[in-house]
Amino acid sequence: MPHLTTRVAIVGAGPAGLLLGWSLHQAGIDFVLVENRDREYVLGRIRAGVLEQGSVETLERLGVGAGVHANGMVHNGIYLQYSGERHHVDFNELLGRTVTIYGQQAVVHDLVEAHDGAGTPVFYDANDVAVHELTGSPSLTFEHDGQHYTVNADFIVGADGFHGVCRQSVPADALQVFEREYPFAWLGILADVAPSTDELIYALHDDGFAMHSMRSHTVSRLYVQVDPADDIASWPDARIWDALHTRLAVPGWSLDEGPITEKSILPMRSFVVSTLQYGSLFLVGDAGHIVPPTGAKGLNSAMSDVTQLSAALVAHYAGADVLLEAYSDTALSRQWKVQQFSQWMTDLLHKRPATDAAGAFDYRSQLGRLDYVTHSTEAKRSLAEQYTGLRLDA
Ligand code: RFL
Ligand code: PHB
C-alpha cells in the first residue's frame, strides 16, 4: 500500500489540474495529480475553443506556448448578427486586444505532453478517489493498478470539474451555492469543412441562436440553440444543417457543409460556490463555478484561477500567506464579473419561448440591445474588454 507525501495534491487532470501541476513543477513545488479517467478520455474531450490574450500569455510564460503559437488562430474580433444583418466588433481596433482560437483539446494535449516529457507524478485511470481531513492534516486516497495509495499533502486542490468529488466533500453548510438555469441548450457539431467565416459569428434569429466557430482551417465548430429536453436522435445531420443555414443566413454569404464527426447536446447553467476554500482545500475551475458557454469564459476562468492559486502557493512556500488567504476572494471577485458577462451574452443572444407576452417583449428588447451594442462605440468597447478578458484589477 504505497504512501506518498507531497506539498500539493491535485484532483482532476482537466485543463485546470494539468496547468496547476505544470506551474508548480516549473516553480519546483512537489505535487501529485490524480485523474479518474484514462489518458485517452482526457485527451479526447472536445470543449472550449477561445483563449483570452491572458490565457495565451500564461501558456507562453510556463513554456507550453509552442502549440498555440504554431496553430492558434488570432482573431481581431467577432461578428454579431440579428435581423439578417452581420456586424463586426473589432477588438483590436477598439482596444488593441485579440483572442486566439485554439481548442481546449489542444491545450490539454500540450500540457499532457509536457507532463509526460518531464515525468511528473500524474496518475490517470484512478479509482475511488477520496479526500480526507480537510480542516486537519489533509490526505487523498485512491486505487491505481490494483494498489491502494494514500497521499499526505499540505494542500488539496479540487480541479475535478462540476461533477467532481472535492466540492462534494465539503459539509453543505460550509458552502453557499448560487445558481441559474436556462430554458435552452446548445447542440454542437464538429464538421470536416473549412470555416465559412474568418471570425466567429454569434447570431440571434427568429428560430433561436446559432453560432459559427472553428478549430482550424479545415475543421468547423457550429452550434444551434435547441430545447434542453431534445433528444440528439431528433436532430439528424440534415436538420442541423438546415437550422444553421436558416439562422446564419445573410445576403451574399453561404455556409459550406461537410461530414459531421461529432455532435452532442450541452445543457446551460450558471453556478458559483462560495467560498473557494475550505480548510486546506482550494477549488479551481469548473469545480467552483460554471458559466453558459456564450461568453467563451469557462476555460479562461479555470486558467485565471490557476494563475492566482499557483502564485499564492509559491508565495506561501517563500513565507508569505497573504495571497493564499485572499485566493477565494480574489478569484470570486473576477468570477462574478465573468458571470454577469456570460449571463448578459446568453440573455442577449438566445430566444426565450415566445408563447407569452413577456417572451415576445424580451425578443424585441434583445434586438434593441443588439442594435445598441453594434452601433455604440462605448458599448462595443465594453464588450471587447470583457470578451478579450478582464485584468484582475479591472
Ligand atoms: P474539467 O475540464 O471538467 O476537468 C475536470 C477533470 O477532473 C476529472 N475528475 C476527477 N478526477 C479524479 N477524481 C474524481 N472524482 C474526478 N471527478 C472528475 C475529470 O475526469 C476531468 O478530467 O474542468 P476544468 O479543468 O476546471 O476546466 C474547465 C473547462 O473544461 C470548461 O470550463 C470549459 O470547457 C467551458 N467552455 C468554454 N470555456 C472557454 O473558456 N471558452 C470556450 O470557448 C468554451 N466553450 C465550454 C465551451 C464548455 C462546453 N461544454 C461542453 C460545457 C463549449 C462547450 C460546448
Ligand atoms: C467553440 O469554439 O467551441 C466556442 C467558441 C465560442 C464560444 C463557445 C464555444 O462562446
Side-chain angles (χ1 to χ4, degrees), residues 11-18 34-37 41-42 45-52 104 126 129-130 159-166 186 188 202 215 221 223 266-267 284-287 289-291 293 295-302 387:
V11 185
L18 288 165
V34 178
E35 161 66 44
N36 66 353
R37 309 300 292 255
Y41 175 87
V42 166
R45 276 172 110 201
I46 298 154
R47 297 185 106 192
V50 178
L51 292 182
E52 294 173 358
Q104 178 167 326
V129 179
D160 49 350
F162 184 67
H163 301 287
V165 71
C166 288
W186 280 13
Y202 290 83
R215 283 294 175 272
R221 177 82 165 139
Y223 297 98
L266 326 150
V284 291
D286 279 13
H289 40 72
I290 296 274
V291 284
K297 291 296 170 211
L299 170 61
N300 291 298
S301 294
Y387 195 95

Side-chain angles (χ1 to χ4, degrees), residues 201-216:
I201 306 166
Y202 290 83
L204 174 62
H205 183 272
D206 280 0
D207 293 352
F209 171 79
M211 139 164 218
H212 190 333
S213 180
M214 62 195 75
R215 283 294 175 272
S216 68

Side-chain angles (χ1 to χ4, degrees), residues 114-166:
H115 280 284
D116 285 354
T120 57
V122 181
F123 294 84
Y124 295 97
D125 218 357
N127 293 311
D128 303 328
V129 179
V131 297
H132 315 274
E133 307 250 6
L134 298 174
T135 55
S137 302
S139 64
L140 171 69
T141 51
F142 61 98
E143 187 266 338
H144 184 258
D145 267 351
Q147 304 223 63
H148 291 276
Y149 285 76
T150 299
V151 182
N152 287 102
D154 299 341
F155 301 106
I156 294 183
V157 177
D160 49 350
F162 184 67
H163 301 287
V165 71
C166 288

